[in-house]
Amino acid sequence: MSLFCCPICGGPLERGPSAYSCPAGHSFDLAREGYVHLLPANRMHSKMPGDDKGMAAARAAFLSKDYYAPLRDALCSIALANTGPAPSVLDTGCGEGYYTSGVYRALVRAGRSVTMAGTDISKAILRRAAKREKDVEFAVASSYHLPVADGAVDLLVNCFSPLAIEEFRRVLSPGGAFVYVVPSEKHLWELKQVLYDRPYPNQVKQTPYPGFSYREIRHVESVIHLPCQEDIHALFQMTPYYWKTPRSGAERLAALTALDVTISFDIHVFCRD
């Protein structure tokens, strides 16, 4: 069973050996890596939307060393607490699939019969996600036009990705859970101290959204040790700071051979009314 529906007519999609197709005859080829492109050309704002290959490679290299394992493990715990025996799970803006894979495997280990999909606007990143987890569906798609039927999702996960709250409400089933991860106040504080003369903490707020009720806000914080310039640069390159840091700050960071840095996240868990 596929979580995806046709982005042209909205009909259910069925996955075949080489393509997805709907009853109306629309067909979407599977890429060699196993993902499908469900972003119509008129919704693409560039030829290569989303994160570029360099950012994708940096994030994959960094996350593969489990520096963000505390966040992944917290998401697994929340997923287990907010799903039943046969959940449908969607990870929007899933990136290279690090958290997608973690949540999927945790649910499978717990004996759940899981249908799971991930979406991202970047083909470069989805190639990595599809290679990582063959039993999860992946599609190039916009969070603002998800190729998913109304009420089809029991758990929706969004880590550091665009907040398309109306679309998330549409695809979630009543009583379904929406898990939204944002950087907390001191996230990457020591990195910012190197990059900027006057760094400021991230803004932390609790925002109610129409059609959702709060279940909890879980705070995850740890200090990680980056033992080499390669890992420091990978962290830098996967953040927005990479594009808006003065050259002097980037040079200071490049001179470091090790760095202890705080990772700090707030996980907002909502229930779809």
Side-chain angles (χ1 to χ4, degrees):
M1 184 179 71
S2 174
L3 259 185
F4 295 135
C5 64
C6 178
I8 297 172
C9 69
L13 284 178
E14 184 173 340
R15 179 172 178 166
S18 60
Y20 282 81
S21 59
C22 75
H26 301 120
S27 182
F28 307 90
D29 292 341
L30 276 165
R32 183 177 67 254
E33 295 85 356
Y35 69 90
V36 63
H37 198 291
L38 298 179
L39 180 63
N42 62 356
R43 291 179 185 157
M44 291 174 61
H45 301 297
S46 70
K47 289 184 178 179
M48 286 292 288
D51 295 339
D52 62 21
K53 289 183 179 180
M55 184 176 283
R59 188 155 55 214
F62 184 84
L63 292 177
S64 70
K65 297 185 178 182
D66 277 347
Y67 287 123
Y68 278 12
L71 173 58
R72 179 202 60 202
D73 294 346
L75 285 172
C76 292
S77 169
I78 289 168
L80 287 166
N82 286 275
T83 54
S88 296
V89 184
L90 178 65
D91 187 358
T92 62
C94 67
E96 67 302 301
Y98 177 75
Y99 305 109
T100 325
S101 177
V103 168
Y104 175 77
R105 294 182 187 187
L107 291 169
V108 169
R109 283 196 302 269
R112 312 283 170 89
S113 178
V114 192
T115 302
M116 188 161 184
T119 60
D120 201 282
I121 206 165
S122 168
K123 283 197 296 186
I125 280 182
L126 273 189
R127 289 189 183 105
R128 296 175 180 274
K131 286 179 180 178
R132 177 192 291 272
E133 199 58 70
K134 295 295 185 183
D135 292 327
V136 174
E137 295 183 287
F138 291 99
V140 177
S142 166
S143 291
Y144 297 95
H145 299 281
L146 291 168
V148 177
D150 295 359
V153 176
D154 301 311
L155 173 68
L156 190 148
V157 179
N158 180 279
C159 292
F160 319 118
S161 294
L163 181 67
I165 197 68
E166 292 182 4
E167 188 70 342
F168 295 168
R169 186 170 59 243
R170 179 187 69 79
V171 302
L172 269 167
S173 61
F178 166 40
V179 179
Y180 182 39
V181 182
V182 294
S184 197
E185 187 177 38
K186 291 294 185 180
H187 185 54
L188 306 184
W189 179 248
E190 295 83 1
L191 179 74
K192 290 161 71 172
Q193 284 182 309
V194 176
L195 296 176
Y196 304 112
D197 294 330
R198 289 188 296 275
Y200 56 87
N202 296 317
Q203 184 181 10
V204 174
K205 58 183 179 180
Q206 181 174 330
T207 305
Y209 297 109
F212 291 94
S213 304
Y214 261 106
R215 281 186 177 162
E216 67 168 310
I217 302 176
R218 190 173 302 191
H219 183 70
V220 177
E221 188 165 301
S222 183
V223 175
I224 59 173
H225 175 67
L226 306 180
C228 60
Q229 172 56 218
E230 180 185 8
D231 289 0
I232 295 169
H233 184 76
L235 173 60
F236 179 39
Q237 191 173 357
M238 68 185 242
T239 71
Y241 310 131
Y242 186 70
W243 303 106
K244 54 186 182 184
T245 292
R247 178 178 292 180
S248 58
E251 288 173 349
R252 286 195 297 269
L253 192 72
L256 297 180
T257 57
L259 180 67
D260 288 337
V261 61
T262 301
I263 58 171
S264 186
F265 314 98
D266 288 323
I267 308 174
H268 298 252
V269 184
F270 299 91
C271 176
R272 162 78 155 80
D273 294 341

